[in-house]
Amino acid sequence: MQHDVRPTIFYYNPNIWPREEYNIRKEESKRHAESLGIQWIDGDYNHEGWRAGVCGLEGEPERGRRCEQCFTLRLVETAKKAQELGIAFFATTLASSRWKSLEQIERAGHKAEEVVNGVGDAASLVPTVTFWAQNWRKGGLQERRNQLLHEYHFYNQQYCGCEFSARQASALTKPLLRQQMRQAKQQHAALLAAMSADICQQLASRLSDAHVIMCYWPLPDEVDIRPLIAQLVAAGKHVVLPRVTGSETMELRCYTSADDLQEGAFHIQEPTGALFVQDAVIDIALIPGMAFDAAGHRLGRGRGYYDRFLAQHPVRRTIGVAFPFQHVPQVPCDSHDILMDEVV
């Protein structure tokens, strides 16, 4: 095989769940392909069809028969696309993951060859495609992969993609999930500002009918909603910010401008405006967190301030605010944890 390989990316991952996770991974792949000038083809997201393809194997462990069947289903479609485009070889990035079985991947690839190339007379009617069985983990390639993840700030979730692997990931404890989220924030550091701007736009449309809005003054690793706060104040909204008052308590202070802030402990900006006492009229509360799931479960920093506050001060609607990589399949939860009405 020549070394001047010109790749085409066929993004076919109907196994990924939920759809929001699929969209994030797809856009990340597309973004990088476009930055390199590589042709990128969008495959079909037919999750129900994929579920039918692995039916009866739901209880299999990771690296079990379900995984090999999943690989085969996806590589057959990849081989078909290569054949359609007149591309002689097809491969998979699955082979770069240390969580996957190379033996299973190679068997799936060669099975896809057989299915697509046909046998007997049928084989002569279509161009032949060959599975490129390459060990992408040896010869320094695994280290190079990790380097590229950091260099290009790739989105990197902590489970394979399907709901079955997500269940295994959900066995994480709260401390371990917090650690993973801190690592993810470091990995995506260069993208946080752009992500924050996009999230602020999404939030703005949800706050148009609200009058009293509970916001937060962001820490360096939280979604930066300061531009949104300025926009809300300019629009005549009543903005209130939380202020920690003790080891278990916090209060709300009115915010009208940067003059209502002062540097507190650990160089954190704290609100100093007038005390807000009309808690019952809070229309929407924007709540930061370390991680959220689709059911609205929130992982905080471990002190429980927001859970205690929200349990005592009713809010008409709560919105969890997080970066895309902080949306996880399942957050470990306790009975006292407060659910979010929505997560953005």
Side-chain angles (χ1 to χ4, degrees):
M1 179 179 293
Q2 295 181 351
H3 295 292
D4 57 339
V5 175
R6 303 181 67 179
T8 294
I9 296 177
F10 177 52
Y11 190 84
Y12 182 71
N13 295 286
N15 58 304
I16 297 178
W17 174 92
R19 181 62 182 260
E20 293 77 11
E21 175 71 15
Y22 171 83
N23 289 336
I24 292 172
R25 298 191 188 195
K26 183 180 79 170
E27 290 306 314
E28 184 77 342
S29 172
K30 185 178 180 181
R31 173 184 69 84
H32 189 61
E34 290 176 346
S35 72
L36 298 176
I38 296 174
Q39 182 182 12
W40 185 91
I41 300 172
D42 191 356
D44 182 30
Y45 182 69
N46 180 9
H47 188 66
E48 291 306 314
W50 176 84
R51 282 292 303 264
V54 298
C55 182
L57 302 174
E58 293 87 349
E60 286 284 312
E62 288 297 289
R63 296 197 175 199
R65 291 180 300 160
R66 183 189 67 250
C67 289
E68 185 164 341
Q69 174 65 2
C70 172
F71 302 156
T72 302
L73 292 171
R74 292 153 66 193
L75 285 173
V76 165
E77 294 303 314
T78 304
K80 287 180 179 179
K81 179 59 67 173
Q83 190 176 72
E84 173 190 327
L85 297 173
I87 297 175
F89 294 90
F90 67 100
T92 173
T93 57
L94 289 166
S96 69
S97 173
R98 63 190 177 93
W99 303 108
K100 304 301 179 188
S101 164
L102 281 176
E103 292 77 12
Q104 286 186 330
I105 293 169
E106 290 191 9
R107 285 197 297 267
H110 292 307
K111 177 65 176 178
E113 271 185 14
E114 296 174 8
V115 170
V116 174
N117 289 332
V119 294
D121 293 338
S124 63
L125 301 178
V126 293
T128 300
V129 292
T130 302
F131 177 63
W132 185 8
Q134 169 71 28
N135 187 341
W136 299 99
R137 306 176 199 173
K138 292 185 177 181
L141 293 177
Q142 183 68 45
E143 292 75 12
R144 179 57 176 160
R145 174 184 182 273
N146 295 335
Q147 179 185 352
L148 291 172
L149 284 174
H150 178 75
E151 181 179 341
Y152 288 98
H153 307 284
F154 280 120
Y155 174 79
N156 191 30
Q157 193 52 278
Q158 303 300 322
Y159 69 109
C160 169
C162 72
E163 53 262 57
F164 309 110
S165 62
R167 289 173 188 168
Q168 181 175 351
S170 68
L172 289 170
T173 63
K174 287 185 176 183
L176 284 176
L177 184 53
R178 289 190 184 99
Q179 180 181 351
Q180 288 188 354
M181 290 299 101
R182 284 192 289 269
Q183 293 172 346
K185 287 177 181 179
Q186 293 176 357
Q187 178 186 339
H188 295 86
L191 302 175
L192 299 187
M195 290 180 181
S196 292
D198 180 62
I199 293 168
C200 284
Q201 289 184 355
Q202 296 179 54
L203 289 171
S205 63
R206 290 165 168 79
L207 304 177
S208 58
D209 295 331
H211 178 59
V212 180
I213 304 168
M214 175 181 168
C215 297
Y216 63 91
W217 200 258
L219 297 174
D221 65 344
E222 292 177 336
V223 175
D224 187 357
I225 62 169
R226 289 177 296 177
L228 175 64
I229 292 175
Q231 180 182 338
L232 294 173
V233 171
K237 306 291 187 181
H238 194 160
V239 175
V240 294
L241 301 176
R243 176 189 175 100
V244 172
T245 57
S247 60
E248 295 186 350
T249 58
M250 66 183 190
E251 64 187 12
L252 294 182
R253 294 277 177 169
C254 299
Y255 176 86
T256 59
S257 72
D259 294 335
D260 294 328
L261 295 170
Q262 71 175 13
E263 188 174 292
F266 308 106
H267 305 290
I268 295 174
Q269 294 293 315
E270 296 180 345
T272 59
L275 183 65
F276 181 76
V277 294
Q278 300 173 340
D279 306 270
V281 299
I282 297 176
D283 296 308
I284 294 180
L286 304 181
I287 311 296
M290 294 294 288
F292 296 87
D293 63 23
H297 296 110
R298 168 184 173 272
L299 177 69
R301 294 180 181 269
R303 302 299 295 273
Y305 285 111
Y306 278 103
D307 289 317
R308 284 188 294 268
F309 182 87
L310 294 173
Q312 299 172 7
H313 303 84
V315 175
R316 290 175 182 169
R317 186 166 185 79
T318 55
I319 300 179
V321 182
F323 296 111
F325 57 81
Q326 292 177 283
H327 295 235
V328 300
Q330 186 173 347
V331 170
C333 59
D334 299 311
S335 59
H336 62 267
D337 292 340
I338 301 296
L339 284 173
M340 300 291 101
D341 294 309
E342 183 182 3
V343 179
V344 173

